Amino acid sequence: MISSQGKEPAAIYRKDYKAPQFELDTVNLHFDIRSEEEVIVDNEIQIKRTGTPDAPLFLNGEDMELLSIHLDEKLLTPNDYQLDKESLTIPSVPNRFTLRTSVRINPKNNTQLSGLYFADGLFCTQCESHGFRRITYFIDRPDTLASYRVSITADSEKYPVLLSNGNRIAQGQHPDKGTHFVEWEDPFKKPCYLFALVAGNLSCISDYYVTQSGRRVALRMYSDHDNQDKCEHAMTSVKNAMRWDEEQFGREYDLDIYMIVAVRSFNMGAMENKGLNIFNAKYVLARPENAADSDFIGIERVIGHEYFHNWTGNRVTCRDWFQLSLKEGLTVFRDAEFSRDMQNSDVCRIQDVKTLRSSQFIEDASPMAHPVRPESYIEVNNFYTATIYNKGAEVIRMQRTLLGHTGFRKGMDLYFERHDGQAVTIDDFVKAMEDANHADLTQFKRWYSQSGTPEVTAETRYDAEHKQFILTLSQHCPPTPGQKQKLPFHIPISAALWDAKGNLIPDSCRLIELKEPQQTFVFEHVPAEPVISLLRDFSAPIKLHIDYSDEQLQLLMRSEHDGFSRWEAGQRIANKYLTQLAQQYQEGKALNLPETIIQTYEAILEDPKLELSLKAELMILPNFNEASQIFSCIDVDAIESARNYFYQTVGKTLYKHFLSLYETLHAKGVSDMSPEAYAERKMKNVCLGYLIYSENPDAVEFAYKQFMHAQNMTDEIGALSCLVHVEDPRNKQAVETFYQKWQHDDLVMDKWFAVQASSRLPYAFETVKTLLSHPKLDRNNPNKVKALLATFAIHNPRSFHALSGKPYELFTQLILEFDRKNPYLSANLVRSMISWKHYDEKRSELMKKSLEHILAAKPISRDLYEVVSKSLE
């Protein structure tokens, strides 16, 4: 926390990195769980000096009571060490020694959910990035690796399940004390951020997997007893991920057991602790009646992500936190490829691009813009961002594009061969790619060091005399904090040419490598003026500016083989007319959408060859965050009025088309969990959304009947998501019915909070305020808070950005309240206001005032301070 005197926390810089002064050999931990408020942690570490001869031993430690400390056999007194709120320093230590400490911690008071905490009847850890220092005194940095042996003692009845990393080597009872113990040993050296412990009364489902070398690995999935029947999909996803990693990367699992625990109170999505992955329950628990199709797909992907970390993050880890994308960007790339192989490949790619544009592009244009490999930070928790994860994944993808699939696999193999068991850097990864392929990626590495989203402008010309199509590309990256001038990026741009009939011109598919501020590329032997498709499969995370006519875009929508490019053509059409509608609104004119655009959407609906999942994506307009990037000044009312009018006009004009397709799909009543079934339900609910926008009274009845008779959560929540936008008694009836049906299910209650927070009705803000006091909204549970407040801020822009400023005032109050309990949560919520400079003058001033109020409050956490102070610079 920042002190009440207002002392500002110091930044940490990558250039100041120094290797650790000491190396750890083995760590022996014993946890004596005496109660929710008291756990005694005994820690024995074998330590060897590797740095300066007389350097003191510096250990991190927070929020614990030191009971004793021994250096070898000597009991140290306060005269032998220096102790403050964040560290323990022993000025004089030998070159080799054993350090034993004993501390008392209070997990129940640990509302930060970092370190060892107690919530929902369960002891649980979260140690990335700096949680381990809240458990015991330690050299808490990712480049300090050690072998761990852990024993846990606890009440046999209250906490029958005692878990930690690695393989279980012993267990037993203390019948006279009513306690039992379990010992775990992890044979692989790891940094302390990968340590994990869980103690509770949990249910378990078991399975196994036989690796490619014939080893049998036990699989264990732990959850609350009431949720045991919701783990099967997660278990199947684990086995699919294990098989996929063997087939695609040759990576086999290395322990005898792989465990996942689903917990309800968790700041993150999940954590890849070696052998014992701890998951936010929403990414494990699912049955068709309580989880939507998007939940099933998300679970499969997150399960894959954490499993893939076993090699990209655990076996090879980060030297320091500036290298965070080394594990996260690489693993997001891997989980994205896994999802593309498990689900509809094109739609998965489209979803990734939508996430990038609606979050990372906005981050790049905000005061929090930073490179994929940052140069400094105040609080590392603030860099678990879309830039590190999603843009980092795109940077990996570009390397595969440039080197080819075979070359990329050779680079990955060399990376693992060189660095297994090490803590390394992004430079080490790129060097493996270079060496395996005899390539030079020097210029490409600017993607790691330069922040911002590059903008590429394309100009085309056809030379009929020489049968040449000439493409000129120029690149520019806008200034970002601390980086006014940018050097040219190395940008791979996938291209193809199409003739006027929608046929791919032979030999026109090529990968263009843009390296200079401006370059010209010539396509030879082009018989007639073509239409060029650029950035196929979104080959680089850039903004592409190119002038297309509506006819050219419609041709690409009909003819392109690449699903992303078809969708992108539709997005360009939508953005063009959303811009026109917004301008009409600002000028006080009647809104008007040309008939030709209606015909474009009619053609999409009527296309029998178009796969349903892609058809559904083509019918969904850019969301507010995506659409707002078109405007130099964000006018919330103009953008939302344009989006609403667009949906209403298409819905009214094509009402019969939507109704016909809706009734056809609804009558099929598919209930299985295949990608094809996902697509049918998705398209059906897109149609229902348009029917609701049409304002036809019958549409409300369709939605209400679907809600009342739904056989799966996708249809139930899909219908409820439509009903909450209409002023009709069936709105409140459905909301209350849903509550009465699902009030016992925490995860479904998150959906209930979120769907109300997204309502377009004018009293949505009042609903949010009321729900803040709802007995099912536990303010200590980040899932609940984000379900309501983050949904409101992100998915209800008109209400959140109301000109009254009242939502900003409420968020300011709540952010300061949460900051005292959970800084990770407060720093995330405040991001809803950090792009204040991009809004109109009135809203901009209101958000700025809120941020200044937060910054002036004392004390506030380092997490919150960093985000707010940077946003006000």
Side-chain angles (χ1 to χ4, degrees), residues 209 211 215 217 219 237-246 251-255 258-260 270-274 277 279 300-314 331 334-335 338:
Y209 178 79
T211 70
R215 291 178 53 253
V217 177
L219 306 178
S237 298
V238 168
K239 291 187 283 187
N240 288 340
M242 297 176 88
R243 183 178 302 108
W244 185 89
D245 210 15
E246 290 177 344
R251 297 298 107 190
E252 185 176 303
Y253 188 64
D254 47 13
L255 291 169
Y258 179 72
M259 300 173 285
I260 285 176
M271 181 61 209
E272 71 268 19
N273 318 293
K274 181 69 178 178
N277 290 183
F279 273 65
E300 179 180 71
R301 183 161 183 173
V302 176
I303 290 278
H305 180 95
E306 304 308 331
Y307 174 76
F308 301 145
H309 263 311
N310 188 60
W311 279 93
T312 50
N314 296 3
T331 306
R334 277 154 50 74
D335 79 51
F338 170 62

Side-chain angles (χ1 to χ4, degrees), residues 17 66 93 207 239 645 854:
Y17 171 82
L66 179 62
V93 294
D207 207 331
K239 291 187 283 187
Y645 179 81
I854 292 171

Side-chain angles (χ1 to χ4, degrees), residues 241-513:
M242 297 176 88
R243 183 178 302 108
W244 185 89
D245 210 15
E246 290 177 344
E247 294 171 351
Q248 297 299 318
F249 289 94
R251 297 298 107 190
E252 185 176 303
Y253 188 64
D254 47 13
L255 291 169
D256 298 333
I257 186 170
Y258 179 72
M259 300 173 285
I260 285 176
V261 182
V263 302
R264 283 181 281 170
S265 293
F266 203 65
N267 279 332
M268 313 282 188
M271 181 61 209
E272 71 268 19
N273 318 293
K274 181 69 178 178
L276 177 58
N277 290 183
I278 298 177
F279 273 65
N280 192 316
K282 68 181 290 187
Y283 291 115
V284 174
L285 307 177
R287 287 178 59 84
E289 61 268 23
N290 84 305
D293 294 344
S294 58
D295 296 316
F296 278 85
I297 294 169
I299 287 169
E300 179 180 71
R301 183 161 183 173
V302 176
I303 290 278
H305 180 95
E306 304 308 331
Y307 174 76
F308 301 145
H309 263 311
N310 188 60
W311 279 93
T312 50
N314 296 3
R315 288 283 289 260
V316 184
T317 195
C318 300
R319 186 195 73 176
D320 55 72
W321 292 120
F322 298 103
Q323 319 297 330
L324 182 58
S325 195
L326 174 72
K327 72 183 186 77
E328 295 300 349
L330 178 55
T331 306
V332 169
F333 165 76
R334 277 154 50 74
D335 79 51
E337 291 302 291
F338 170 62
S339 292
R340 292 187 77 169
D341 285 345
M342 295 295 109
Q343 303 295 330
N344 181 292
S345 179
D346 287 333
V347 172
C348 285
R349 187 67 183 132
I350 289 166
Q351 292 292 346
D352 286 345
V353 174
K354 290 169 76 170
T355 298
L356 194 79
R357 287 176 171 171
S358 62
S359 57
Q360 198 283 318
F361 278 16
I362 288 178
E363 190 169 86
D364 262 349
S366 80
M368 286 299 289
H370 58 276
V372 172
R373 182 181 59 198
E375 294 300 323
S376 68
Y377 61 79
I378 291 175
E379 174 50 60
V380 69
N381 284 340
N382 288 327
F383 284 95
Y384 285 77
T385 62
T387 298
I388 299 296
Y389 282 68
N390 304 90
K391 186 175 181 178
E394 296 301 320
V395 174
I396 299 292
R397 184 180 299 280
M398 285 189 287
Q399 290 176 70
R400 189 186 67 176
T401 299
L402 291 167
L403 299 173
H405 283 67
T406 301
F408 182 76
R409 172 63 189 269
K410 286 167 59 181
M412 290 294 295
D413 288 346
L414 182 59
Y415 173 67
F416 293 129
E417 179 186 331
R418 281 180 176 175
H419 301 298
D420 186 12
Q422 298 177 11
V424 299
T425 67
I426 284 169
D427 292 321
D428 293 319
F429 177 84
V430 178
K431 187 69 165 58
M433 288 292 158
E434 290 179 318
D435 291 351
N437 293 278
H438 307 290
D440 182 358
L441 297 175
T442 303
Q443 181 181 354
F444 180 84
K445 285 171 66 176
R446 291 172 188 167
W447 281 102
Y448 285 110
S449 60
Q450 295 187 155
S451 56
T453 305
E455 300 190 19
V456 174
T457 301
E459 296 180 353
T460 63
R461 179 171 62 86
Y462 180 65
D463 183 338
E465 180 181 353
H466 297 95
K467 305 299 182 185
Q468 292 178 328
F469 183 74
I470 298 115
L471 170 68
T472 300
L473 297 175
S474 56
Q475 63 166 297
H476 164 71
C477 190
T480 51
Q483 293 186 346
K484 291 185 178 180
Q485 299 295 327
K486 311 293 175 71
L487 295 171
F489 288 83
H490 181 179
I491 306 174
I493 299 177
S494 180
L497 302 181
W498 302 83
D499 67 21
K501 294 182 179 180
N503 299 310
L504 179 65
I505 296 175
D507 303 319
S508 70
C509 295
R510 60 189 287 191
L511 181 67
I512 294 168
E513 296 186 37

Side-chain angles (χ1 to χ4, degrees), residues 46-62:
Q46 307 295 324
I47 304 178
K48 178 177 68 175
R49 184 188 300 278
T50 54
T52 308
D54 297 324
L57 176 66
F58 178 87
L59 303 172
N60 304 101
E62 299 174 7

